[in-house]
Amino acid sequence: MDKFIPLSHKIRGLSGLVENAETRAEKVAILRKIAHVREYLIVLALFFNPDLKFDLPQGLPDIDINVFSSRDNSHWLTNYLINGKHKNLMFPDKNRPKIVSDTRQRQQMFVSALEQMHADDAGLFIAMKDKAFPHKGITAELLVEAYPNSFKL
């Protein structure tokens, strides 16, 4: 059985390619070249699309970080995002009704999700919730240039 790479490691690797590019044109070219990596685009959208906001408080939830040490669920966050389950935790908009209306229940769902994933992915997921992209050199403006049909300011 193939061992999965945690999504956070894949994001770090792909973002590193963009970060290390010398010119804006090279950054755009790299982003276009990796446009087929669906989970990367989902993560970028969750970080940079101002309309996609988690309906959760900022910062770290009340969770025991030691719960991650025994888990090797490297594929869990990728599956969670691709299957759209993160949408239960987000603010509603005209195209997405509020699925879970109780704030406490949404927070419990978020903590439960964190407990299921690889420790590095949990850090990435918390950063997504707080819109704190951990890599330099990638901006909303760059994404609009690279993916004009997918990203808007």
Side-chain angles (χ1 to χ4, degrees), residues 39-150:
E39 59 271 29
Y40 188 61
L41 295 181
I42 292 170
V43 167
L44 291 175
L46 288 170
F47 273 111
F48 291 101
N49 185 331
D51 295 330
L52 298 177
K53 297 177 188 164
F54 285 86
D55 192 4
L56 295 162
Q58 292 284 94
L60 294 171
D62 184 21
I63 186 171
D64 178 11
I65 299 300
N66 295 323
V67 74
F68 303 116
S69 61
S70 64
R71 297 191 186 279
D72 184 20
N73 292 339
S74 304
H75 62 286
W76 199 91
L77 181 57
T78 300
N79 292 339
Y80 189 79
L81 294 175
I82 287 177
N83 291 328
K85 294 191 176 179
H86 62 285
K87 294 176 183 175
N88 293 335
L89 305 172
M90 303 189 83
F91 278 112
D93 66 18
K94 64 181 180 227
N95 299 318
R96 186 181 56 254
K98 185 173 259 188
I99 298 170
V100 180
S101 59
D102 181 55
T103 302
R104 177 173 281 232
Q105 185 180 1
R106 269 192 316 282
Q107 289 174 338
Q108 289 172 339
M109 290 170 65
F110 184 69
V111 168
S112 177
L114 291 173
E115 290 173 342
Q116 298 302 312
M117 61 185 76
H118 188 278
D120 293 344
D121 284 353
L124 178 70
F125 198 46
I126 292 168
M128 273 188 255
K129 172 187 69 71
D130 293 341
K131 299 254 184 218
F133 193 62
H135 305 284
K136 296 180 188 216
I138 299 175
T139 64
E141 294 79 14
L142 184 68
L143 295 174
V144 168
E145 187 176 339
Y147 310 119
N149 295 329
S150 302

Side-chain angles (χ1 to χ4, degrees), residues 9-24:
H9 297 194
K10 187 183 288 188
I11 299 303
R12 185 180 327 130
L14 293 172
S15 296
L17 294 173
V18 178
E19 286 177 310
N20 293 331
E22 293 184 16
T23 67
R24 185 174 185 86

